[in-house]
């Protein structure tokens, strides 16, 4: 079905409804993730570190190594590299 503007109203409505449904599912999942982080925090885990771990696990080993090397380079450049950072390089 097409209206005078040349837009297939039924198809457009279907796309909008699918997007709305997915947005709602995304919100529910986001709330679930927040609940898991809150539970972890309640059990004594550091949420900031957990987020970093999750982020690192998404990366390939070579990406993590490259990121670590750049971090160490920047820390050295800023005079912030200590014994723990120097041994990592």
């Amino acid at each position: 079905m097409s209206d005078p503007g040349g837009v297939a109203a039924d198809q457009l409505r279907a796309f909008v409804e699918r997007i709305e449904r997915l947005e709602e599912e995304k919100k529910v999942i986001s709330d679930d993730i927040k609940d898991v982080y809150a539970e972890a925090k309640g059990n004594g885990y550091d949420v900031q570190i957990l987020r970093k771990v999750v982020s690192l696990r998404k990366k390939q080993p070579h990406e993590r190594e490259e990121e670590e090397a750049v971090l160490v380079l920047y820390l050295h450049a800023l005079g912030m590299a200590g014994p723990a950072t120097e041994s990592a390089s």
Side-chain angles (χ1 to χ4, degrees), residues 1-2 4 8 13 17 21 25 37 43-44 48 51 59 65 73 81 84:
M1 175 177 174
S2 190
R13 185 175 298 106
E17 289 171 356
R21 233 182 354 265
E25 290 175 20
Y37 279 116
N43 282 298
Q48 184 176 359
R51 289 183 187 279
K59 297 178 182 178
E65 292 165 5
L73 175 69

Side-chain angles (χ1 to χ4, degrees), residues 4-86:
V7 175
D10 291 339
Q11 186 180 34
L12 178 59
R13 185 175 298 106
F15 283 133
V16 170
E17 289 171 356
R18 283 171 55 198
I19 292 167
E20 290 171 340
R21 233 182 354 265
L22 290 168
E23 288 289 343
E24 180 58 33
E25 290 175 20
K26 184 169 75 170
K27 183 187 179 316
V28 170
I29 290 170
S30 178
D31 290 343
D32 289 347
I33 291 170
K34 287 177 189 175
D35 291 345
V36 172
Y37 279 116
E39 183 181 346
K41 183 176 183 176
N43 282 298
Y45 292 97
D46 185 313
V47 172
Q48 184 176 359
I49 301 301
L50 280 175
R51 289 183 187 279
K52 183 67 175 172
V53 169
V54 170
S55 172
L56 288 171
R57 284 175 52 105
K58 291 178 185 177
K59 297 178 182 178
Q60 295 295 320
H62 72 276
E63 291 173 313
R64 289 193 304 265
E65 292 165 5
E66 183 178 312
E67 184 178 296
E68 176 69 20
V70 172
L71 175 62
V72 169
L73 175 69
Y74 287 4
L75 291 175
H76 277 283
L78 295 172
M80 297 173 62
T85 342
E86 290 173 3

